[in-house]
Amino acid sequence: MSRTQRLFDLLQLLRSYRFPVTAQTLADQLQISVRSVYRDIASLQQQGADISGEAGLGYVLKPGFMLPPLMFSEEEIEAMVLGSRWVAEHGDAHLAQAAKAALDKIAAVLPSDLRLSLDTNALLVGPDAPPSDFDEALPLLRAAIRQEHKIKLSYVDAKGHTSERMIWPFALGFFERVRVLVAWCELRQEIRHFRTDRIKAFEVYPLHYPQRRHALLRQWREQENIPIP
């Protein structure tokens, strides 16, 4: 375990205690020596952590402290790298660029050992299907979802029938082969799924739909029996 990871774990452990905890207890849980706990607490204090207490009495971390270089564990870095690579492969060009920019910002504040973990991450994402012409319109759909605006669709169903729909978009699913827009359909009066490759045309109306996006999302999760975080 790297020293940066050990400091992060110590900080997280201190944050879980509301009352002073002894160095021996910390050492037992972190599986390090008491002497290492003393050194690491001194190091955190030097970097600005508001840790009060002393040897033999115990230590407590006052709330509200977050040391930027220690924000992420190694597994959290792996999760972010994997997620960013997935977005780069499966998202539209704007999302891919945003994912890379976010990862660059994270890398800029990481200490050297965790930066190496990020640069040499071995979690890979398989290639996506070739981008479709509609992918260029995905940023407009994502903006409509964020702003809770209605959308008028010209949609072709699986049987080749075309219909006009006024919908309330609240989610966009990125799958390996297709993109799926999840929305309340005013025509059907229920939540429906629309493949973006079957959307012939659409128009965003600068008009808020009557329900909140998070309420529609919760309703959809309950309907599809998807666990709610």
PDB file of all heavy atoms in Angstrom, residues 158-180:
ATOM      1  N   ALA A 158     -40.836   0.005 -34.981  1.00  0.00           N
ATOM      2  CA  ALA A 158     -40.203  -1.205 -35.509  1.00  0.00           C
ATOM      3  C   ALA A 158     -40.896  -1.717 -36.773  1.00  0.00           C
ATOM      4  O   ALA A 158     -40.280  -2.419 -37.577  1.00  0.00           O
ATOM      5  CB  ALA A 158     -40.198  -2.295 -34.437  1.00  0.00           C
ATOM      6  N   LYS A 159     -42.183  -1.372 -36.967  1.00  0.00           N
ATOM      7  CA  LYS A 159     -42.918  -1.824 -38.148  1.00  0.00           C
ATOM      8  C   LYS A 159     -42.823  -0.833 -39.309  1.00  0.00           C
ATOM      9  O   LYS A 159     -43.438  -1.039 -40.352  1.00  0.00           O
ATOM     10  CB  LYS A 159     -44.389  -2.050 -37.778  1.00  0.00           C
ATOM     11  CG  LYS A 159     -44.594  -3.152 -36.745  1.00  0.00           C
ATOM     12  CD  LYS A 159     -46.060  -3.342 -36.428  1.00  0.00           C
ATOM     13  CE  LYS A 159     -46.279  -4.455 -35.406  1.00  0.00           C
ATOM     14  NZ  LYS A 159     -47.715  -4.632 -35.071  1.00  0.00           N
ATOM     15  N   GLY A 160     -42.087   0.252 -39.094  1.00  0.00           N
ATOM     16  CA  GLY A 160     -41.919   1.236 -40.166  1.00  0.00           C
ATOM     17  C   GLY A 160     -42.973   2.317 -40.191  1.00  0.00           C
ATOM     18  O   GLY A 160     -42.989   3.142 -41.115  1.00  0.00           O
ATOM     19  N   HIS A 161     -43.848   2.357 -39.190  1.00  0.00           N
ATOM     20  CA  HIS A 161     -44.886   3.375 -39.135  1.00  0.00           C
ATOM     21  C   HIS A 161     -44.338   4.659 -38.500  1.00  0.00           C
ATOM     22  O   HIS A 161     -43.683   4.607 -37.451  1.00  0.00           O
ATOM     23  CB  HIS A 161     -46.092   2.877 -38.331  1.00  0.00           C
ATOM     24  CG  HIS A 161     -46.700   1.645 -38.899  1.00  0.00           C
ATOM     25  ND1 HIS A 161     -47.272   0.659 -38.127  1.00  0.00           N
ATOM     26  CD2 HIS A 161     -46.832   1.217 -40.187  1.00  0.00           C
ATOM     27  CE1 HIS A 161     -47.737  -0.316 -38.885  1.00  0.00           C
ATOM     28  NE2 HIS A 161     -47.468   0.002 -40.149  1.00  0.00           N
ATOM     29  N   THR A 162     -44.632   5.787 -39.115  1.00  0.00           N
ATOM     30  CA  THR A 162     -44.168   7.077 -38.616  1.00  0.00           C
ATOM     31  C   THR A 162     -45.273   7.774 -37.831  1.00  0.00           C
ATOM     32  O   THR A 162     -46.437   7.771 -38.250  1.00  0.00           O
ATOM     33  CB  THR A 162     -43.711   7.984 -39.774  1.00  0.00           C
ATOM     34  OG1 THR A 162     -42.660   7.330 -40.500  1.00  0.00           O
ATOM     35  CG2 THR A 162     -43.198   9.315 -39.261  1.00  0.00           C
ATOM     36  N   SER A 163     -44.906   8.365 -36.700  1.00  0.00           N
ATOM     37  CA  SER A 163     -45.875   9.104 -35.886  1.00  0.00           C
ATOM     38  C   SER A 163     -45.221  10.352 -35.321  1.00  0.00           C
ATOM     39  O   SER A 163     -43.999  10.444 -35.222  1.00  0.00           O
ATOM     40  CB  SER A 163     -46.416   8.228 -34.748  1.00  0.00           C
ATOM     41  OG  SER A 163     -45.354   7.837 -33.886  1.00  0.00           O
ATOM     42  N   GLU A 164     -46.048  11.317 -34.972  1.00  0.00           N
ATOM     43  CA  GLU A 164     -45.579  12.547 -34.326  1.00  0.00           C
ATOM     44  C   GLU A 164     -45.854  12.428 -32.834  1.00  0.00           C
ATOM     45  O   GLU A 164     -46.979  12.097 -32.429  1.00  0.00           O
ATOM     46  CB  GLU A 164     -46.291  13.769 -34.902  1.00  0.00           C
ATOM     47  CG  GLU A 164     -46.138  13.936 -36.412  1.00  0.00           C
ATOM     48  CD  GLU A 164     -44.701  14.241 -36.805  1.00  0.00           C
ATOM     49  OE1 GLU A 164     -44.027  14.980 -36.059  1.00  0.00           O
ATOM     50  OE2 GLU A 164     -44.256  13.727 -37.853  1.00  0.00           O
ATOM     51  N   ARG A 165     -44.868  12.681 -32.024  1.00  0.00           N
ATOM     52  CA  ARG A 165     -45.018  12.545 -30.574  1.00  0.00           C
ATOM     53  C   ARG A 165     -44.531  13.804 -29.864  1.00  0.00           C
ATOM     54  O   ARG A 165     -43.493  14.358 -30.223  1.00  0.00           O
ATOM     55  CB  ARG A 165     -44.185  11.364 -30.046  1.00  0.00           C
ATOM     56  CG  ARG A 165     -44.329  10.050 -30.796  1.00  0.00           C
ATOM     57  CD  ARG A 165     -45.634   9.358 -30.498  1.00  0.00           C
ATOM     58  NE  ARG A 165     -45.661   8.027 -31.085  1.00  0.00           N
ATOM     59  CZ  ARG A 165     -45.364   6.910 -30.443  1.00  0.00           C
ATOM     60  NH1 ARG A 165     -45.002   6.956 -29.175  1.00  0.00           N
ATOM     61  NH2 ARG A 165     -45.414   5.740 -31.057  1.00  0.00           N
ATOM     62  N   MET A 166     -45.269  14.219 -28.851  1.00  0.00           N
ATOM     63  CA  MET A 166     -44.767  15.224 -27.922  1.00  0.00           C
ATOM     64  C   MET A 166     -44.362  14.478 -26.659  1.00  0.00           C
ATOM     65  O   MET A 166     -45.169  13.760 -26.063  1.00  0.00           O
ATOM     66  CB  MET A 166     -45.836  16.265 -27.589  1.00  0.00           C
ATOM     67  CG  MET A 166     -45.329  17.404 -26.706  1.00  0.00           C
ATOM     68  SD  MET A 166     -44.110  18.461 -27.532  1.00  0.00           S
ATOM     69  CE  MET A 166     -45.202  19.451 -28.575  1.00  0.00           C
ATOM     70  N   ILE A 167     -43.103  14.619 -26.268  1.00  0.00           N
ATOM     71  CA  ILE A 167     -42.588  13.822 -25.150  1.00  0.00           C
ATOM     72  C   ILE A 167     -41.936  14.710 -24.099  1.00  0.00           C
ATOM     73  O   ILE A 167     -41.574  15.858 -24.361  1.00  0.00           O
ATOM     74  CB  ILE A 167     -41.579  12.760 -25.636  1.00  0.00           C
ATOM     75  CG1 ILE A 167     -40.340  13.444 -26.241  1.00  0.00           C
ATOM     76  CG2 ILE A 167     -42.233  11.809 -26.632  1.00  0.00           C
ATOM     77  CD1 ILE A 167     -39.203  12.485 -26.526  1.00  0.00           C
ATOM     78  N   TRP A 168     -41.761  14.105 -22.907  1.00  0.00           N
ATOM     79  CA  TRP A 168     -41.053  14.757 -21.811  1.00  0.00           C
ATOM     80  C   TRP A 168     -39.790  13.933 -21.533  1.00  0.00           C
ATOM     81  O   TRP A 168     -39.839  12.942 -20.799  1.00  0.00           O
ATOM     82  CB  TRP A 168     -41.899  14.807 -20.547  1.00  0.00           C
ATOM     83  CG  TRP A 168     -43.294  15.347 -20.725  1.00  0.00           C
ATOM     84  CD1 TRP A 168     -43.810  16.010 -21.806  1.00  0.00           C
ATOM     85  CD2 TRP A 168     -44.364  15.246 -19.782  1.00  0.00           C
ATOM     86  NE1 TRP A 168     -45.129  16.329 -21.600  1.00  0.00           N
ATOM     87  CE2 TRP A 168     -45.495  15.875 -20.362  1.00  0.00           C
ATOM     88  CE3 TRP A 168     -44.479  14.691 -18.509  1.00  0.00           C
ATOM     89  CZ2 TRP A 168     -46.717  15.953 -19.697  1.00  0.00           C
ATOM     90  CZ3 TRP A 168     -45.696  14.767 -17.852  1.00  0.00           C
ATOM     91  CH2 TRP A 168     -46.791  15.408 -18.439  1.00  0.00           C
ATOM     92  N   PRO A 169     -38.673  14.270 -22.111  1.00  0.00           N
ATOM     93  CA  PRO A 169     -37.464  13.444 -21.959  1.00  0.00           C
ATOM     94  C   PRO A 169     -36.845  13.590 -20.572  1.00  0.00           C
ATOM     95  O   PRO A 169     -36.731  14.687 -20.048  1.00  0.00           O
ATOM     96  CB  PRO A 169     -36.529  14.012 -23.031  1.00  0.00           C
ATOM     97  CG  PRO A 169     -36.919  15.451 -23.115  1.00  0.00           C
ATOM     98  CD  PRO A 169     -38.410  15.483 -22.905  1.00  0.00           C
ATOM     99  N   PHE A 170     -36.440  12.452 -19.981  1.00  0.00           N
ATOM    100  CA  PHE A 170     -35.802  12.543 -18.662  1.00  0.00           C
ATOM    101  C   PHE A 170     -34.605  11.622 -18.504  1.00  0.00           C
ATOM    102  O   PHE A 170     -33.916  11.661 -17.479  1.00  0.00           O
ATOM    103  CB  PHE A 170     -36.829  12.260 -17.550  1.00  0.00           C
ATOM    104  CG  PHE A 170     -37.464  10.905 -17.589  1.00  0.00           C
ATOM    105  CD1 PHE A 170     -36.851   9.808 -16.994  1.00  0.00           C
ATOM    106  CD2 PHE A 170     -38.687  10.722 -18.229  1.00  0.00           C
ATOM    107  CE1 PHE A 170     -37.450   8.559 -17.026  1.00  0.00           C
ATOM    108  CE2 PHE A 170     -39.294   9.474 -18.265  1.00  0.00           C
ATOM    109  CZ  PHE A 170     -38.669   8.382 -17.656  1.00  0.00           C
ATOM    110  N   ALA A 171     -34.286  10.805 -19.496  1.00  0.00           N
ATOM    111  CA  ALA A 171     -33.099   9.948 -19.407  1.00  0.00           C
ATOM    112  C   ALA A 171     -32.659   9.552 -20.813  1.00  0.00           C
ATOM    113  O   ALA A 171     -33.470   9.509 -21.748  1.00  0.00           O
ATOM    114  CB  ALA A 171     -33.376   8.698 -18.570  1.00  0.00           C
ATOM    115  N   LEU A 172     -31.362   9.270 -20.936  1.00  0.00           N
ATOM    116  CA  LEU A 172     -30.798   8.838 -22.214  1.00  0.00           C
ATOM    117  C   LEU A 172     -29.861   7.674 -21.941  1.00  0.00           C
ATOM    118  O   LEU A 172     -28.872   7.826 -21.218  1.00  0.00           O
ATOM    119  CB  LEU A 172     -30.047   9.992 -22.882  1.00  0.00           C
ATOM    120  CG  LEU A 172     -29.454   9.737 -24.269  1.00  0.00           C
ATOM    121  CD1 LEU A 172     -30.545   9.383 -25.265  1.00  0.00           C
ATOM    122  CD2 LEU A 172     -28.680  10.958 -24.748  1.00  0.00           C
ATOM    123  N   GLY A 173     -30.192   6.515 -22.498  1.00  0.00           N
ATOM    124  CA  GLY A 173     -29.392   5.318 -22.265  1.00  0.00           C
ATOM    125  C   GLY A 173     -28.389   5.090 -23.385  1.00  0.00           C
ATOM    126  O   GLY A 173     -28.740   5.138 -24.566  1.00  0.00           O
ATOM    127  N   PHE A 174     -27.127   4.846 -22.998  1.00  0.00           N
ATOM    128  CA  PHE A 174     -26.064   4.572 -23.963  1.00  0.00           C
ATOM    129  C   PHE A 174     -25.738   3.080 -23.904  1.00  0.00           C
ATOM    130  O   PHE A 174     -25.137   2.603 -22.941  1.00  0.00           O
ATOM    131  CB  PHE A 174     -24.814   5.390 -23.628  1.00  0.00           C
ATOM    132  CG  PHE A 174     -24.945   6.861 -23.925  1.00  0.00           C
ATOM    133  CD1 PHE A 174     -25.624   7.699 -23.059  1.00  0.00           C
ATOM    134  CD2 PHE A 174     -24.404   7.408 -25.076  1.00  0.00           C
ATOM    135  CE1 PHE A 174     -25.757   9.048 -23.319  1.00  0.00           C
ATOM    136  CE2 PHE A 174     -24.527   8.755 -25.353  1.00  0.00           C
ATOM    137  CZ  PHE A 174     -25.207   9.581 -24.480  1.00  0.00           C
ATOM    138  N   PHE A 175     -26.133   2.364 -24.953  1.00  0.00           N
ATOM    139  CA  PHE A 175     -25.846   0.946 -25.045  1.00  0.00           C
ATOM    140  C   PHE A 175     -24.822   0.711 -26.154  1.00  0.00           C
ATOM    141  O   PHE A 175     -24.475   1.626 -26.890  1.00  0.00           O
ATOM    142  CB  PHE A 175     -27.132   0.155 -25.311  1.00  0.00           C
ATOM    143  CG  PHE A 175     -28.169   0.339 -24.235  1.00  0.00           C
ATOM    144  CD1 PHE A 175     -29.154   1.310 -24.357  1.00  0.00           C
ATOM    145  CD2 PHE A 175     -28.150  -0.451 -23.098  1.00  0.00           C
ATOM    146  CE1 PHE A 175     -30.104   1.489 -23.358  1.00  0.00           C
ATOM    147  CE2 PHE A 175     -29.101  -0.282 -22.096  1.00  0.00           C
ATOM    148  CZ  PHE A 175     -30.074   0.693 -22.229  1.00  0.00           C
ATOM    149  N   GLU A 176     -24.352  -0.514 -26.265  1.00  0.00           N
ATOM    150  CA  GLU A 176     -23.287  -0.783 -27.229  1.00  0.00           C
ATOM    151  C   GLU A 176     -23.711  -0.488 -28.659  1.00  0.00           C
ATOM    152  O   GLU A 176     -22.926   0.021 -29.448  1.00  0.00           O
ATOM    153  CB  GLU A 176     -22.820  -2.240 -27.102  1.00  0.00           C
ATOM    154  CG  GLU A 176     -22.020  -2.524 -25.836  1.00  0.00           C
ATOM    155  CD  GLU A 176     -21.393  -3.908 -25.868  1.00  0.00           C
ATOM    156  OE1 GLU A 176     -21.553  -4.603 -26.891  1.00  0.00           O
ATOM    157  OE2 GLU A 176     -20.744  -4.275 -24.877  1.00  0.00           O
ATOM    158  N   ARG A 177     -24.937  -0.825 -29.007  1.00  0.00           N
ATOM    159  CA  ARG A 177     -25.373  -0.689 -30.389  1.00  0.00           C
ATOM    160  C   ARG A 177     -26.382   0.428 -30.621  1.00  0.00           C
ATOM    161  O   ARG A 177     -26.556   0.880 -31.742  1.00  0.00           O
ATOM    162  CB  ARG A 177     -25.965  -2.015 -30.872  1.00  0.00           C
ATOM    163  CG  ARG A 177     -24.968  -3.174 -30.846  1.00  0.00           C
ATOM    164  CD  ARG A 177     -23.828  -2.926 -31.811  1.00  0.00           C
ATOM    165  NE  ARG A 177     -22.809  -3.968 -31.727  1.00  0.00           N
ATOM    166  CZ  ARG A 177     -21.663  -3.947 -32.399  1.00  0.00           C
ATOM    167  NH1 ARG A 177     -21.413  -2.938 -33.209  1.00  0.00           N
ATOM    168  NH2 ARG A 177     -20.783  -4.920 -32.256  1.00  0.00           N
ATOM    169  N   VAL A 178     -27.084   0.837 -29.586  1.00  0.00           N
ATOM    170  CA  VAL A 178     -28.131   1.844 -29.760  1.00  0.00           C
ATOM    171  C   VAL A 178     -28.100   2.857 -28.620  1.00  0.00           C
ATOM    172  O   VAL A 178     -27.516   2.605 -27.565  1.00  0.00           O
ATOM    173  CB  VAL A 178     -29.541   1.206 -29.831  1.00  0.00           C
ATOM    174  CG1 VAL A 178     -29.671   0.317 -31.051  1.00  0.00           C
ATOM    175  CG2 VAL A 178     -29.854   0.449 -28.553  1.00  0.00           C
ATOM    176  N   ARG A 179     -28.734   4.000 -28.864  1.00  0.00           N
ATOM    177  CA  ARG A 179     -28.990   5.000 -27.831  1.00  0.00           C
ATOM    178  C   ARG A 179     -30.507   5.031 -27.640  1.00  0.00           C
ATOM    179  O   ARG A 179     -31.264   5.030 -28.616  1.00  0.00           O
ATOM    180  CB  ARG A 179     -28.495   6.380 -28.246  1.00  0.00           C
ATOM    181  CG  ARG A 179     -27.093   6.396 -28.847  1.00  0.00           C
ATOM    182  CD  ARG A 179     -26.032   6.165 -27.794  1.00  0.00           C
ATOM    183  NE  ARG A 179     -24.696   6.243 -28.366  1.00  0.00           N
ATOM    184  CZ  ARG A 179     -23.933   5.190 -28.629  1.00  0.00           C
ATOM    185  NH1 ARG A 179     -24.406   3.982 -28.386  1.00  0.00           N
ATOM    186  NH2 ARG A 179     -22.730   5.327 -29.137  1.00  0.00           N
ATOM    187  N   VAL A 180     -30.958   5.074 -26.402  1.00  0.00           N
ATOM    188  CA  VAL A 180     -32.396   5.016 -26.119  1.00  0.00           C
ATOM    189  C   VAL A 180     -32.798   6.227 -25.280  1.00  0.00           C
ATOM    190  O   VAL A 180     -32.244   6.467 -24.199  1.00  0.00           O
ATOM    191  CB  VAL A 180     -32.768   3.712 -25.383  1.00  0.00           C
ATOM    192  CG1 VAL A 180     -34.261   3.712 -25.039  1.00  0.00           C
ATOM    193  CG2 VAL A 180     -32.422   2.500 -26.237  1.00  0.00           C
TER     194      VAL A 180
END
